[in-house]
Amino acid sequence: MSDGGVPAGDFETFHRATFSKMLARAMFYVGNIQDAEDALQEAYVTAWKRWDRITTFYEAEGLILLVLRQRAWKGRKDGKVSSIDELDGIVSNQATVEETVWVRHVLDELSLLPHGQRVVMALHCLQGHTQDEVAQKLEGKRNTIAGAVYLARRKLARSLGIAESKPNESLVSVVLSDDDPLLVVLDMAEKWLAEAIEADGRALEHMCERLGAGMSTAEGGRP
C-alpha cells in the first residue's frame, strides 16, 4: 500500500492512483468483476463522504479495504459460486496469451472456494494478516479462521499444482513466509491483474461514470 505519510490530496487523484490495485483486490475478495465493481463503488463513495476527515493515502486505502472486506464477508452466506468469466474485458492487449491463461486459471480456482474461505485467504495471504488478526477483523474464532485457511490453502495448492512441503503448516502458522509458494502465486496474479486493469483503462473510466452517478445521489456526501 501507499506510504502512510503521503497526504491524501484530492479525491479524484486518490481514486485514479489506487483504482487498479483496489479492483484487483476486490476481485480476489468477491470472485467476479461485476460484484467487485459494485463493492468498490460503495467503498469509494464511502471514502468520498468522509474525505474532509481523511488525512493520508494510508488512511484512505484502509477505509476502502475495510468496506470491501465487510461487504465480501457479509456476502459469504449467499452460497453463490462466482466465476471470472469477464476477464477478457479488462485484460491489456499487451498481455501474452500465457499470462492471460495463467491468471484466469488462478482467479477461476480462487472463485471456486466457498465465499468465506476466499475472504480469509485474501486477508491472510494478500494482506499478510496473521490468523489471529484475521479472526479479530472478521469477529470470528481463531480456530475457525485457522481451519478455513487450511482448507483453502489445500484446495488451491492442489488445483494449481503447488506442492506444500509441510501439509499442516498452514493450520498452525501465524506468520507467512516470503518464500511461501502459494503466497508468491497469489501475489503475482494480483499484481499482474492490477497492471492489466491499469493498462486497459476501460474499467477506470467505467468506474468514474458510476462514481459520478453515485456521488450525485449520495445522501450526506461532501458538496
Side-chain angles (χ1 to χ4, degrees):
M1 292 302 172
S2 299
D3 187 343
V6 175
D10 65 276
F11 177 80
E12 183 178 358
T13 298
F14 166 76
H15 168 236
R16 290 184 175 274
T18 60
F19 171 76
S20 297
K21 64 181 177 182
M22 290 300 178
L23 180 56
R25 179 61 53 86
M27 287 178 64
F28 271 70
Y29 272 142
V30 303
N32 66 58
I33 294 172
Q34 182 177 350
D35 289 347
E37 288 184 335
D38 290 344
L40 196 55
Q41 179 184 10
E42 178 183 336
Y44 276 120
V45 169
T46 299
W48 173 73
K49 289 180 178 181
R50 305 180 187 180
W51 201 249
D52 58 345
R53 303 191 298 274
I54 293 175
T55 59
T56 66
F57 255 58
Y58 181 82
E59 183 182 355
E61 286 181 328
L63 178 58
I64 298 296
L65 290 172
L66 173 62
V67 175
L68 290 178
R69 180 176 75 239
Q70 290 176 336
R71 175 154 177 161
W73 190 242
K74 183 185 298 183
R76 74 190 187 281
K77 298 179 181 179
D78 288 349
K80 178 177 62 177
V81 175
S82 304
S83 63
I84 312 298
D85 56 359
E86 298 177 1
L87 185 59
D88 289 335
I90 62 170
V91 169
S92 169
N93 293 330
Q94 299 177 0
T96 67
V97 174
E98 291 79 8
E99 288 172 334
T100 301
V101 170
W102 173 244
V103 172
R104 181 189 292 277
H105 179 48
V106 172
L107 294 177
D108 277 344
E109 294 301 330
L110 187 67
S111 75
L112 293 176
L113 292 177
H115 203 120
Q117 289 182 17
R118 189 164 61 239
V119 175
V120 167
M121 281 295 290
L123 285 169
H124 184 56
C125 286
L126 295 176
Q127 290 187 235
H129 294 301
T130 66
Q131 292 171 6
D132 286 332
E133 290 170 341
V134 174
Q136 183 178 13
K137 289 180 179 296
L138 299 179
E139 298 181 351
K141 295 181 179 180
R142 197 270 182 186
N143 289 342
T144 301
I145 297 301
V149 169
Y150 172 71
L151 291 174
R153 286 187 61 100
R154 185 174 63 177
K155 292 176 184 177
L156 282 178
R158 288 177 176 176
S159 62
L160 297 176
I162 298 173
E164 296 202 270
S165 57
K166 299 178 181 179
N168 294 322
E169 182 179 11
S170 60
L171 186 61
V172 299
S173 176
V174 295
V175 180
L176 289 169
S177 171
D178 290 338
D179 59 358
D180 182 330
L182 188 57
L183 171 61
V184 171
V185 167
L186 293 178
D187 183 64
M188 178 193 71
E190 186 189 41
K191 287 180 178 177
W192 182 90
L193 181 58
E195 291 172 357
I197 293 169
E198 183 172 4
D200 183 272
R202 288 173 292 177
L204 173 59
E205 296 309 314
H206 181 226
M207 181 58 69
C208 287
E209 294 176 0
R210 293 185 58 166
L211 284 178
M215 290 173 183
S216 66
T217 58
E219 295 181 359
R222 294 176 64 247

